[in-house]
Amino acid sequence: MSVAKRVLIVDDEAPIREMIAVALEMAGYECIEAENAQQAHAAVLDQMPDMVLLDWMMPGTNGIDFARRLRRDETTANVPIIMLTAKAEEDNKVQGLEAGVDDYITKPFSPRELVARLKTVLRRTTPKGIEEPVTVDELTLDPISHRVTSVEQSVDLGPTEFRLLQFFMTHPDRAYSRSQLLDMVWGGNVYVEERTVDVHIRRLRKALGNRHDYLIQTVRGTGYRFSVQGG
């Protein structure tokens, strides 16, 4: 694993969090812990984990309500969630899946089973362009070698343009406002003016050249969209 995946463990029982953290750290994951939904929400926004392991029964906001909250917010809508539950009843599983949970695992579980399920969900929920190359109309971005090619010719991009293109290619056909792009590409805690986005979009279009600049579309009154379809 090139960069350790970060997992947020949300459970009000410290011994359970510790047991999970030990198992995951041995398997090469980085762990963050939270004992309630409030702490967990702050950790998600601040540290953007690759996965949330979420206990169903917690005092205050329960796991299901917290999962729904993450799914409603655009910045956290795609974070994979595995629900930890002591309940094996069918209706609970259905409720969990309806809330947008990617998988659930019933307590008690073995650490090996947990790690296996975690890997499966991460593999399933990682879009192309994050860990393997993604190609759109002969434009290819390879995240491992950090290279972009247009009809097999190398495209020279600065680090911000690369991240911007990577975000667009992994989130096509949706319009994003400048402030959303700042959150997703620059990170929510960085102060950058919205017009900075326009500067980098212009640079990105220029680097892509006549063959591919059409992919980065201006959406009037909103922001920008990446799409092979016309605006």
Side-chain angles (χ1 to χ4, degrees), residues 126-145:
T126 302
K128 282 192 168 174
I130 303 292
E131 290 180 350
E132 53 186 288
V134 59
T135 301
V136 175
D137 186 22
E138 296 187 279
L139 178 70
T140 299
L141 178 142
D142 184 343
I144 307 301
S145 64

Side-chain angles (χ1 to χ4, degrees), residues 92-130:
N92 292 128
K93 291 176 181 174
V94 169
Q95 218 181 326
L97 294 170
E98 280 175 353
V101 171
D102 295 278
D103 199 0
Y104 49 84
I105 186 164
T106 309
K107 296 176 183 175
F109 49 80
S110 74
R112 280 179 62 186
E113 183 191 0
L114 178 65
V115 170
R117 296 281 273 279
L118 199 103
K119 281 182 178 160
T120 303
V121 169
L122 280 171
R123 209 164 35 238
R124 200 174 66 219
T125 54
T126 302
K128 282 192 168 174
I130 303 292

Side-chain angles (χ1 to χ4, degrees), residues 62-196:
N62 67 27
I64 284 287
D65 291 337
F66 182 57
R68 287 198 180 106
R69 184 178 177 185
L70 291 181
R71 289 290 174 256
R72 272 198 308 269
D73 183 343
E74 198 134 2
T75 46
T76 57
N78 296 319
V79 178
I81 302 170
I82 294 182
M83 187 74 87
L84 307 173
T85 169
K87 308 173 167 203
E89 297 97 335
E90 254 345 277
D91 60 334
N92 292 128
K93 291 176 181 174
V94 169
Q95 218 181 326
L97 294 170
E98 280 175 353
V101 171
D102 295 278
D103 199 0
Y104 49 84
I105 186 164
T106 309
K107 296 176 183 175
F109 49 80
S110 74
R112 280 179 62 186
E113 183 191 0
L114 178 65
V115 170
R117 296 281 273 279
L118 199 103
K119 281 182 178 160
T120 303
V121 169
L122 280 171
R123 209 164 35 238
R124 200 174 66 219
T125 54
T126 302
K128 282 192 168 174
I130 303 292
E131 290 180 350
E132 53 186 288
V134 59
T135 301
V136 175
D137 186 22
E138 296 187 279
L139 178 70
T140 299
L141 178 142
D142 184 343
I144 307 301
S145 64
H146 226 262
R147 287 202 180 104
V148 175
T149 51
S150 168
V151 199
E152 297 185 10
Q153 297 291 309
S154 183
V155 177
D156 191 20
L157 292 181
T160 303
E161 285 74 40
F162 183 90
R163 285 202 311 276
L164 195 53
L165 182 61
Q166 185 175 31
F167 176 75
F168 276 139
M169 291 183 82
T170 52
H171 299 81
D173 300 311
R174 274 190 67 175
Y176 288 95
S177 68
R178 289 165 182 80
S179 66
Q180 285 173 329
L181 289 171
L182 284 175
D183 276 352
M184 312 280 199
V185 178
W186 278 259
N189 52 2
V190 176
Y191 179 72
V192 185
E193 288 192 17
E194 287 195 4
R195 81 187 95 174
T196 308

Side-chain angles (χ1 to χ4, degrees), residues 6 9 12 36 45 86 102 117 160 189 191 198 208 215 218:
R6 187 179 295 159
I9 304 160
D12 58 317
N36 55 42
L45 295 181
D102 295 278
R117 296 281 273 279
T160 303
N189 52 2
Y191 179 72
D198 300 332
L208 293 179
L215 291 165
T218 302

